[in-house]
Amino acid sequence: MRAIIDPRQGDVEDDASSTKRYSLLSLAGSLLAEISLPKLALAWTLLIGVPALVLGFAPLATTLWLSTLSSKAATVVYGAGSLVLLGLVVLAGWFGGQRLFPVAERSFWALNALAVQPTYAAIREVLRHFVERTLPASTQANTRAAVRAVTAALAGIVIALPIAWLVAALWPFTRWVTSPADLAAPLALIGAALANSTVAVASYFGAASLVWGIADALTSQPRTIVEFPMPTAGRPRWRIAHLSDIHIVGEPHGFRIESGRAGPKGNDRLNRVFAELEAIHAREPLDFVLVTGDITDAGRSAEWVVFLDLLAAHPEIAQRLLILPGNHDVNVVDRANPARLDLPFSPNKYLRQARVISTLAMVQGDRVRLIDTATGRPGPTLEAALAPHRDTIAAFADNGSLRLGHKVGKLWNTLFPMVRPPDTPGGLGIILLNSNADTHFSFTNALGLVSSEHIRAISQACSAWPDAQWLVGLHHHLVEYPMAAKELSERIGTSLVNGSWVLRCLQHSLPGAVVMHGHRHIDWIGSCGPLSIVSAPSPVMNATNQAAPHFYVHTLEAGPDRLELLTPTRVEIA
């Protein structure tokens, strides 16, 4: 008897969050219908409303405090007391500032991730899309780079001009100074605070967009590498298999979030990838296998079990494996519902982080080291750094305690970057970054961020191993590729919200380095100034640029002033 529905082929429920089956506009409509409005209102109040009101009230409260307490304060701090008070303020600022700066930095970039970067990137890519479609196919690379630079600056101007008009219109309603007499009209103060908040946030929005546009216009534009150098006898070389976005699912016939029924089901293709890696290694040994994130499809326990079972079946590959987290490993709140929202204090994100920490320890715990940012020197191995926290992580995974979850979150922020040190002077060092932004919403899970602490640790790693050749791995892409797009929906903008800044920092700290990433499932190898950049396609999903599923084995050669990318070997998965 023939089944009416073959459950192995899935159904419409498997397409709920698929960007290959539905447009982003359609998914946004479903999101609005399904989202929890009370939870959304609470999240926006905590993340935006309260900080904005505090920002608006801050100048009013400050001037009120000065006007009412200045005479008393003058009496208290008269003479030697003023020096004591000044010293206490400086000490409080120094020690408190060190603790508050990382929090302030994450909040700063969260504002950019929420509004500034998506708006700027959307306008920039719309301009580029329509301008580049008018260019003839024979247009030179230099001309295309100039067009990309001009459209970046123009996008910043397009945002800044209407915001300047809005700020000018609201300015008469703002009030930055108050006195005790104004407390008789509290509603007027509330209105002034709201106007202050709107002007301050809008001014930053416009200024940041303009600065972003100018910075993108002035930075070196990415160029596709069309010719690779020939190998030079006598130079050290390393063979690196680069995988990314393998999106393991936990069910034998499961479908992936992004592709739904339009993509492969189960993990059969991934099994063939690892079998091919083993055959390649048997013919010509690999030095490393680098997986730049999105190892799982939603960070679920069953998905990590599949990954660990796969490594157990391929021990030679497991011994050479280095991994780092992607947005699907830590930021997907609900794989079946893009409208799902976790509150900022939810323990669920810490649980996903705990799973990643445990897997990192099993895969590379004794092969990578942390950087002691306080001293600037190499710190312990990952395994040694996690030893005092194993019981805490295990207890949190067992009971989901909010208190223990916050401890896991604090630990998570200290584990990156990880460094696989060079074996010899002048050898290959590998830096592994966590480029995932702290998001609470499935629909915005793709956003990325590299903190200033990580950038400082990269510089410290360079100082610790000054002769090393450097390979940097992260999940998110630094720049948009100079590739034509058939549809506007393909141009999603740089998901690393501070990508321009990170690019400049890497160009300064690691000139000549190779940067490998994933995230976009796009096959591209190019350069941007002194950096070589490699974007890995997904070997298990249908690639956005319609290429057959494949991955690359790269040969890196130590050059006189840079790490050279030699001609890569393309490995197709049938």
Side-chain angles (χ1 to χ4, degrees):
M1 185 173 178
R2 187 166 59 90
I4 298 176
I5 300 174
D6 186 349
R8 293 169 297 183
Q9 301 303 319
D11 51 41
V12 69
E13 186 178 28
D14 295 294
D15 300 331
S17 302
S18 172
T19 55
K20 302 296 184 292
R21 302 281 291 193
Y22 300 115
S23 68
L24 292 178
L25 184 62
S26 175
L27 288 173
S30 301
L31 180 151
L32 291 175
E34 296 292 337
I35 196 167
S36 169
L37 294 180
K39 188 182 286 188
L40 178 64
L42 179 58
W44 273 71
T45 299
L46 293 175
L47 294 174
I48 298 177
V50 171
L53 283 176
V54 169
L55 187 64
F57 271 112
L60 301 177
T62 301
T63 55
L64 182 63
W65 180 84
L66 289 174
S67 63
T68 55
L69 300 180
S70 58
S71 59
K72 296 180 181 179
T75 302
V76 172
V77 301
Y78 180 75
S82 61
L83 296 177
V84 174
L85 181 60
L86 179 61
L88 292 175
V89 169
V90 170
L91 287 175
W94 175 257
F95 291 105
Q98 287 183 316
R99 297 174 62 90
L100 291 176
F101 179 78
V103 176
E105 183 189 25
R106 287 192 290 269
S107 299
F108 169 79
W109 287 115
L111 174 62
N112 282 273
L114 184 69
V116 180
Q117 193 273 343
T119 304
Y120 160 72
I123 293 176
R124 182 194 66 198
E125 293 307 311
V126 167
L127 291 172
R128 284 179 176 173
H129 183 69
F130 289 108
V131 171
E132 290 181 6
R133 290 183 68 176
T134 65
L135 298 177
S138 59
T139 304
Q140 297 295 316
N142 288 339
T143 303
R144 291 186 178 275
V147 167
R148 294 173 64 83
V150 170
T151 50
L154 187 58
I157 294 171
V158 167
I159 297 174
L161 287 178
I163 287 182
W165 173 85
L166 175 64
V167 170
L170 290 177
W171 187 261
F173 302 98
T174 62
R175 182 187 301 177
W176 306 98
V177 177
T178 189
S179 65
D182 295 324
L183 295 176
L187 292 180
L189 287 180
I190 293 174
L194 291 174
N196 292 352
S197 301
T198 305
V199 165
V201 173
S203 297
Y204 172 74
F205 194 118
S209 299
L210 187 59
V211 170
W212 217 313
I214 294 173
D216 278 357
L218 295 178
T219 193
S220 50
Q221 297 298 313
R223 308 290 183 94
T224 302
I225 295 177
V226 294
E227 291 187 11
F228 294 88
M230 297 296 293
T232 302
R235 289 180 177 175
R237 296 190 193 98
W238 301 271
R239 281 168 47 80
I240 315 288
H242 181 200
L243 305 179
S244 195
D245 300 85
I246 57 180
H247 287 265
I248 292 173
V249 289
E251 308 85 16
H253 299 281
F255 291 93
R256 290 159 176 82
I257 294 172
E258 293 179 18
S259 58
R261 289 179 292 166
K265 60 180 181 291
N267 300 305
D268 179 62
R269 187 177 288 172
L270 179 63
N271 293 330
R272 281 179 277 152
V273 168
F274 270 72
E276 189 64 37
L277 281 171
E278 199 164 74
I280 291 170
H281 178 66
R283 293 193 299 268
E284 188 177 357
L286 296 165
D287 292 289
F288 299 101
V289 177
L290 175 63
V291 185
T292 51
D294 279 3
I295 297 164
T296 65
D297 201 46
R300 303 297 298 272
S301 292
E303 296 166 349
W304 288 114
V305 169
V306 173
F307 178 61
L308 295 175
D309 287 347
L310 186 63
L311 297 188
H314 300 279
E316 288 293 321
I317 302 303
Q319 290 174 13
R320 290 155 177 81
L321 191 67
L322 294 172
I323 64 174
L324 55 89
N327 58 295
H328 277 253
D329 301 317
V330 295
N331 276 342
V332 173
V333 177
D334 187 336
R335 73 186 315 273
N337 181 9
R340 174 73 182 275
L341 174 72
D342 265 350
L343 293 173
F345 46 79
S346 169
N348 292 336
K349 70 172 182 179
Y350 303 127
L351 186 58
R352 294 189 291 272
Q353 291 171 356
R355 294 171 186 146
V356 174
I357 291 172
S358 178
T359 307
L360 288 168
M362 294 181 68
V363 170
Q364 59 207 37
D366 59 348
R367 292 187 288 126
V368 297
R369 298 179 67 174
L370 308 186
I371 296 295
D372 186 343
T373 54
T375 64
R377 300 179 60 82
T381 64
L382 175 63
E383 184 175 359
L386 291 176
H389 306 283
R390 284 181 170 270
D391 291 343
T392 297
I393 297 172
F396 168 68
D398 183 55
N399 60 39
S401 161
L402 184 60
R403 178 181 62 84
L404 294 179
H406 281 293
K407 289 185 177 181
V408 171
K410 290 177 64 176
L411 174 64
W412 172 262
N413 291 327
T414 67
L415 297 182
F416 299 93
M418 299 177 186
V419 180
R420 202 291 182 179
D423 293 323
T424 60
L428 181 67
I430 302 178
I431 298 173
L432 305 175
L433 299 175
N434 169 34
S435 61
N436 294 286
D438 191 13
T439 66
H440 315 281
F441 194 15
S442 279
F443 200 67
T444 59
N445 77 81
L447 296 171
L449 166 71
V450 176
S451 71
S452 62
E453 289 178 299
H454 289 186
I455 295 298
R456 184 168 63 254
I458 290 174
S459 297
Q460 292 168 338
C462 295
S463 300
W465 294 281
D467 298 327
Q469 305 283 336
W470 288 106
L471 168 64
V472 179
L474 74 165
H475 182 59
H476 293 79
H477 49 295
L478 299 172
V479 295
E480 287 299 309
Y481 322 120
M483 301 168 62
K486 293 181 179 179
E487 302 293 338
L488 181 59
S489 59
E490 293 181 22
R491 313 179 75 116
I492 62 172
T494 302
S495 294
L496 194 64
V497 296
N498 58 346
S500 299
W501 176 73
V502 174
L503 177 65
R504 285 179 180 78
C505 292
L506 292 180
Q507 289 173 334
H508 175 73
S509 299
L510 300 173
V514 172
V515 179
M516 292 185 174
H517 69 83
H519 190 50
R520 284 289 303 277
H521 307 177
I522 292 291
D523 176 0
W524 183 74
I525 303 174
S527 63
C528 195
L531 296 178
S532 298
I533 301 178
V534 179
S535 170
S538 171
V540 304
M541 298 176 71
N542 294 335
T544 307
N545 57 356
Q546 304 304 310
H550 60 281
F551 66 91
Y552 285 98
V553 176
H554 296 276
T555 300
L556 309 182
E557 180 179 279
D561 56 359
R562 65 182 300 120
L563 185 59
E564 299 283 5
L565 272 173
L566 304 185
T567 304
T569 301
R570 175 177 169 134
V571 183
E572 292 196 357
I573 307 301

mmCIF file of all heavy atoms in Angstrom, residues 77-108:
data_model
loop_
_atom_site.group_PDB
_atom_site.id
_atom_site.type_symbol
_atom_site.label_atom_id
_atom_site.label_comp_id
_atom_site.label_asym_id
_atom_site.label_seq_id
_atom_site.Cartn_x
_atom_site.Cartn_y
_atom_site.Cartn_z
ATOM 1 N N VAL A 77 34.179 69.549 50.070
ATOM 2 C CA VAL A 77 35.458 69.320 49.397
ATOM 3 C C VAL A 77 36.409 70.490 49.570
ATOM 4 O O VAL A 77 37.396 70.597 48.859
ATOM 5 C CB VAL A 77 35.230 69.055 47.886
ATOM 6 C CG1 VAL A 77 34.342 67.850 47.671
ATOM 7 C CG2 VAL A 77 34.635 70.281 47.189
ATOM 8 N N TYR A 78 36.126 71.379 50.526
ATOM 9 C CA TYR A 78 36.997 72.532 50.727
ATOM 10 C C TYR A 78 38.379 72.061 51.199
ATOM 11 O O TYR A 78 38.519 71.173 52.023
ATOM 12 C CB TYR A 78 36.389 73.473 51.769
ATOM 13 C CG TYR A 78 37.249 74.696 52.036
ATOM 14 C CD1 TYR A 78 37.292 75.735 51.106
ATOM 15 C CD2 TYR A 78 38.015 74.784 53.205
ATOM 16 C CE1 TYR A 78 38.086 76.842 51.352
ATOM 17 C CE2 TYR A 78 38.803 75.886 53.448
ATOM 18 C CZ TYR A 78 38.842 76.925 52.511
ATOM 19 O OH TYR A 78 39.633 78.028 52.746
ATOM 20 N N GLY A 79 39.422 72.636 50.633
ATOM 21 C CA GLY A 79 40.794 72.360 51.069
ATOM 22 C C GLY A 79 41.259 70.982 50.687
ATOM 23 O O GLY A 79 41.058 70.515 49.575
ATOM 24 N N ALA A 80 41.877 70.291 51.687
ATOM 25 C CA ALA A 80 42.455 68.976 51.417
ATOM 26 C C ALA A 80 41.391 67.947 51.055
ATOM 27 O O ALA A 80 41.658 66.980 50.347
ATOM 28 C CB ALA A 80 43.247 68.498 52.635
ATOM 29 N N GLY A 81 40.157 68.163 51.535
ATOM 30 C CA GLY A 81 39.079 67.230 51.211
ATOM 31 C C GLY A 81 38.837 67.117 49.725
ATOM 32 O O GLY A 81 38.447 66.068 49.225
ATOM 33 N N SER A 82 39.039 68.211 48.985
ATOM 34 C CA SER A 82 38.814 68.175 47.542
ATOM 35 C C SER A 82 39.804 67.225 46.863
ATOM 36 O O SER A 82 39.458 66.508 45.920
ATOM 37 C CB SER A 82 38.954 69.575 46.948
ATOM 38 O OG SER A 82 40.255 70.077 47.165
ATOM 39 N N LEU A 83 41.054 67.197 47.364
ATOM 40 C CA LEU A 83 42.043 66.298 46.766
ATOM 41 C C LEU A 83 41.694 64.839 47.049
ATOM 42 O O LEU A 83 41.852 63.966 46.185
ATOM 43 C CB LEU A 83 43.432 66.618 47.321
ATOM 44 C CG LEU A 83 43.983 68.014 46.992
ATOM 45 C CD1 LEU A 83 45.338 68.213 47.659
ATOM 46 C CD2 LEU A 83 44.100 68.205 45.489
ATOM 47 N N VAL A 84 41.213 64.588 48.264
ATOM 48 C CA VAL A 84 40.814 63.222 48.613
ATOM 49 C C VAL A 84 39.653 62.761 47.726
ATOM 50 O O VAL A 84 39.645 61.646 47.193
ATOM 51 C CB VAL A 84 40.426 63.139 50.100
ATOM 52 C CG1 VAL A 84 39.864 61.749 50.422
ATOM 53 C CG2 VAL A 84 41.626 63.455 50.971
ATOM 54 N N LEU A 85 38.647 63.647 47.581
ATOM 55 C CA LEU A 85 37.486 63.298 46.767
ATOM 56 C C LEU A 85 37.898 63.067 45.312
ATOM 57 O O LEU A 85 37.444 62.117 44.659
ATOM 58 C CB LEU A 85 36.428 64.405 46.847
ATOM 59 C CG LEU A 85 35.136 64.146 46.059
ATOM 60 C CD1 LEU A 85 34.447 62.875 46.555
ATOM 61 C CD2 LEU A 85 34.189 65.339 46.181
ATOM 62 N N LEU A 86 38.791 63.914 44.819
ATOM 63 C CA LEU A 86 39.258 63.764 43.456
ATOM 64 C C LEU A 86 39.967 62.417 43.266
ATOM 65 O O LEU A 86 39.770 61.717 42.265
ATOM 66 C CB LEU A 86 40.203 64.905 43.089
ATOM 67 C CG LEU A 86 40.814 64.870 41.673
ATOM 68 C CD1 LEU A 86 39.721 64.924 40.622
ATOM 69 C CD2 LEU A 86 41.808 66.007 41.495
ATOM 70 N N GLY A 87 40.782 62.049 44.244
ATOM 71 C CA GLY A 87 41.472 60.768 44.165
ATOM 72 C C GLY A 87 40.512 59.594 44.158
ATOM 73 O O GLY A 87 40.687 58.631 43.409
ATOM 74 N N LEU A 88 39.465 59.671 45.010
ATOM 75 C CA LEU A 88 38.469 58.597 45.053
ATOM 76 C C LEU A 88 37.723 58.483 43.732
ATOM 77 O O LEU A 88 37.444 57.377 43.246
ATOM 78 C CB LEU A 88 37.480 58.847 46.201
ATOM 79 C CG LEU A 88 38.051 58.720 47.619
ATOM 80 C CD1 LEU A 88 36.995 59.115 48.646
ATOM 81 C CD2 LEU A 88 38.527 57.291 47.864
ATOM 82 N N VAL A 89 37.386 59.622 43.134
ATOM 83 C CA VAL A 89 36.682 59.606 41.843
ATOM 84 C C VAL A 89 37.558 58.979 40.766
ATOM 85 O O VAL A 89 37.101 58.170 39.951
ATOM 86 C CB VAL A 89 36.258 61.039 41.443
ATOM 87 C CG1 VAL A 89 35.772 61.071 40.001
ATOM 88 C CG2 VAL A 89 35.167 61.539 42.377
ATOM 89 N N VAL A 90 38.849 59.346 40.750
ATOM 90 C CA VAL A 90 39.771 58.783 39.748
ATOM 91 C C VAL A 90 39.909 57.276 39.924
ATOM 92 O O VAL A 90 39.865 56.513 38.952
ATOM 93 C CB VAL A 90 41.143 59.478 39.845
ATOM 94 C CG1 VAL A 90 42.172 58.732 38.998
ATOM 95 C CG2 VAL A 90 41.028 60.921 39.403
ATOM 96 N N LEU A 91 40.055 56.821 41.189
ATOM 97 C CA LEU A 91 40.176 55.385 41.437
ATOM 98 C C LEU A 91 38.915 54.631 41.024
ATOM 99 O O LEU A 91 38.981 53.562 40.415
ATOM 100 C CB LEU A 91 40.477 55.142 42.922
ATOM 101 C CG LEU A 91 41.888 55.504 43.403
ATOM 102 C CD1 LEU A 91 41.987 55.334 44.911
ATOM 103 C CD2 LEU A 91 42.930 54.631 42.700
ATOM 104 N N ALA A 92 37.757 55.195 41.389
ATOM 105 C CA ALA A 92 36.502 54.551 41.013
ATOM 106 C C ALA A 92 36.361 54.474 39.500
ATOM 107 O O ALA A 92 35.915 53.465 38.945
ATOM 108 C CB ALA A 92 35.324 55.314 41.625
ATOM 109 N N GLY A 93 36.739 55.558 38.831
ATOM 110 C CA GLY A 93 36.652 55.553 37.372
ATOM 111 C C GLY A 93 37.588 54.549 36.733
ATOM 112 O O GLY A 93 37.240 53.876 35.769
ATOM 113 N N TRP A 94 38.808 54.426 37.323
ATOM 114 C CA TRP A 94 39.794 53.520 36.745
ATOM 115 C C TRP A 94 39.381 52.058 36.897
ATOM 116 O O TRP A 94 39.298 51.309 35.924
ATOM 117 C CB TRP A 94 41.144 53.746 37.404
ATOM 118 C CG TRP A 94 42.202 52.763 36.962
ATOM 119 C CD1 TRP A 94 42.675 51.686 37.639
ATOM 120 C CD2 TRP A 94 42.909 52.799 35.725
ATOM 121 N NE1 TRP A 94 43.637 51.030 36.905
ATOM 122 C CE2 TRP A 94 43.797 51.687 35.719
ATOM 123 C CE3 TRP A 94 42.873 53.641 34.615
ATOM 124 C CZ2 TRP A 94 44.636 51.406 34.653
ATOM 125 C CZ3 TRP A 94 43.717 53.372 33.551
ATOM 126 C CH2 TRP A 94 44.581 52.265 33.575
ATOM 127 N N PHE A 95 39.049 51.665 38.140
ATOM 128 C CA PHE A 95 38.707 50.260 38.358
ATOM 129 C C PHE A 95 37.304 49.925 37.856
ATOM 130 O O PHE A 95 37.069 48.862 37.292
ATOM 131 C CB PHE A 95 38.833 49.917 39.852
ATOM 132 C CG PHE A 95 40.245 49.923 40.331
ATOM 133 C CD1 PHE A 95 40.730 50.978 41.115
ATOM 134 C CD2 PHE A 95 41.116 48.905 39.989
ATOM 135 C CE1 PHE A 95 42.043 50.989 41.548
ATOM 136 C CE2 PHE A 95 42.439 48.917 40.427
ATOM 137 C CZ PHE A 95 42.899 49.960 41.206
ATOM 138 N N GLY A 96 36.369 50.839 38.052
ATOM 139 C CA GLY A 96 35.021 50.590 37.545
ATOM 140 C C GLY A 96 34.963 50.624 36.034
ATOM 141 O O GLY A 96 34.260 49.844 35.400
ATOM 142 N N GLY A 97 35.745 51.531 35.441
ATOM 143 C CA GLY A 97 35.741 51.641 33.983
ATOM 144 C C GLY A 97 36.246 50.385 33.309
ATOM 145 O O GLY A 97 35.756 49.985 32.252
ATOM 146 N N GLN A 98 37.264 49.725 33.912
ATOM 147 C CA GLN A 98 37.788 48.504 33.336
ATOM 148 C C GLN A 98 36.721 47.416 33.271
ATOM 149 O O GLN A 98 36.685 46.611 32.341
ATOM 150 C CB GLN A 98 38.983 48.012 34.148
ATOM 151 C CG GLN A 98 40.237 48.867 33.955
ATOM 152 C CD GLN A 98 41.415 48.302 34.709
ATOM 153 O OE1 GLN A 98 41.282 47.898 35.869
ATOM 154 N NE2 GLN A 98 42.573 48.259 34.074
ATOM 155 N N ARG A 99 35.845 47.381 34.266
ATOM 156 C CA ARG A 99 34.781 46.371 34.277
ATOM 157 C C ARG A 99 33.625 46.765 33.375
ATOM 158 O O ARG A 99 32.983 45.912 32.765
ATOM 159 C CB ARG A 99 34.273 46.159 35.710
ATOM 160 C CG ARG A 99 35.313 45.618 36.663
ATOM 161 C CD ARG A 99 34.763 45.573 38.075
ATOM 162 N NE ARG A 99 33.621 44.697 38.183
ATOM 163 C CZ ARG A 99 33.682 43.409 38.468
ATOM 164 N NH1 ARG A 99 34.853 42.836 38.655
ATOM 165 N NH2 ARG A 99 32.584 42.660 38.556
ATOM 166 N N LEU A 100 33.362 48.074 33.295
ATOM 167 C CA LEU A 100 32.195 48.526 32.534
ATOM 168 C C LEU A 100 32.472 48.662 31.042
ATOM 169 O O LEU A 100 31.541 48.596 30.239
ATOM 170 C CB LEU A 100 31.702 49.872 33.086
ATOM 171 C CG LEU A 100 31.068 49.849 34.468
ATOM 172 C CD1 LEU A 100 30.726 51.268 34.907
ATOM 173 C CD2 LEU A 100 29.802 48.980 34.468
ATOM 174 N N PHE A 101 33.747 48.835 30.655
ATOM 175 C CA PHE A 101 34.036 49.082 29.244
ATOM 176 C C PHE A 101 33.556 47.964 28.339
ATOM 177 O O PHE A 101 32.922 48.232 27.312
ATOM 178 C CB PHE A 101 35.528 49.337 29.034
ATOM 179 C CG PHE A 101 35.871 49.583 27.587
ATOM 180 C CD1 PHE A 101 35.610 50.817 26.999
ATOM 181 C CD2 PHE A 101 36.421 48.579 26.810
ATOM 182 C CE1 PHE A 101 35.903 51.035 25.660
ATOM 183 C CE2 PHE A 101 36.719 48.790 25.484
ATOM 184 C CZ PHE A 101 36.458 50.021 24.911
ATOM 185 N N PRO A 102 33.834 46.676 28.654
ATOM 186 C CA PRO A 102 33.334 45.621 27.759
ATOM 187 C C PRO A 102 31.818 45.636 27.622
ATOM 188 O O PRO A 102 31.283 45.392 26.542
ATOM 189 C CB PRO A 102 33.825 44.331 28.428
ATOM 190 C CG PRO A 102 34.992 44.757 29.250
ATOM 191 C CD PRO A 102 34.653 46.139 29.741
ATOM 192 N N VAL A 103 31.106 45.927 28.742
ATOM 193 C CA VAL A 103 29.644 45.997 28.677
ATOM 194 C C VAL A 103 29.205 47.160 27.798
ATOM 195 O O VAL A 103 28.315 47.032 26.955
ATOM 196 C CB VAL A 103 29.057 46.144 30.101
ATOM 197 C CG1 VAL A 103 27.546 46.304 30.039
ATOM 198 C CG2 VAL A 103 29.449 44.953 30.961
ATOM 199 N N ALA A 104 29.856 48.324 27.994
ATOM 200 C CA ALA A 104 29.512 49.493 27.181
ATOM 201 C C ALA A 104 29.809 49.248 25.709
ATOM 202 O O ALA A 104 29.041 49.648 24.828
ATOM 203 C CB ALA A 104 30.280 50.717 27.685
ATOM 204 N N GLU A 105 30.923 48.579 25.439
ATOM 205 C CA GLU A 105 31.280 48.305 24.040
ATOM 206 C C GLU A 105 30.247 47.402 23.383
ATOM 207 O O GLU A 105 29.815 47.650 22.252
ATOM 208 C CB GLU A 105 32.653 47.654 23.966
ATOM 209 C CG GLU A 105 33.099 47.409 22.523
ATOM 210 C CD GLU A 105 34.356 46.574 22.439
ATOM 211 O OE1 GLU A 105 34.616 45.812 23.386
ATOM 212 O OE2 GLU A 105 35.063 46.680 21.430
ATOM 213 N N ARG A 106 29.830 46.329 24.081
ATOM 214 C CA ARG A 106 28.831 45.431 23.496
ATOM 215 C C ARG A 106 27.515 46.156 23.278
ATOM 216 O O ARG A 106 26.820 45.940 22.278
ATOM 217 C CB ARG A 106 28.648 44.204 24.396
ATOM 218 C CG ARG A 106 29.816 43.225 24.331
ATOM 219 C CD ARG A 106 29.473 41.904 24.996
ATOM 220 N NE ARG A 106 29.361 42.041 26.437
ATOM 221 C CZ ARG A 106 30.381 41.871 27.276
ATOM 222 N NH1 ARG A 106 31.590 41.592 26.802
ATOM 223 N NH2 ARG A 106 30.212 41.988 28.571
ATOM 224 N N SER A 107 27.134 47.035 24.219
ATOM 225 C CA SER A 107 25.891 47.805 24.048
ATOM 226 C C SER A 107 25.999 48.765 22.873
ATOM 227 O O SER A 107 25.052 48.939 22.107
ATOM 228 C CB SER A 107 25.592 48.581 25.342
ATOM 229 O OG SER A 107 25.422 47.709 26.427
ATOM 230 N N PHE A 108 27.188 49.382 22.724
ATOM 231 C CA PHE A 108 27.416 50.303 21.614
ATOM 232 C C PHE A 108 27.236 49.596 20.277
ATOM 233 O O PHE A 108 26.523 50.062 19.394
ATOM 234 C CB PHE A 108 28.826 50.878 21.741
ATOM 235 C CG PHE A 108 29.286 51.644 20.533
ATOM 236 C CD1 PHE A 108 28.860 52.944 20.314
ATOM 237 C CD2 PHE A 108 30.138 51.072 19.618
ATOM 238 C CE1 PHE A 108 29.279 53.656 19.202
ATOM 239 C CE2 PHE A 108 30.573 51.778 18.507
ATOM 240 C CZ PHE A 108 30.141 53.069 18.306
#
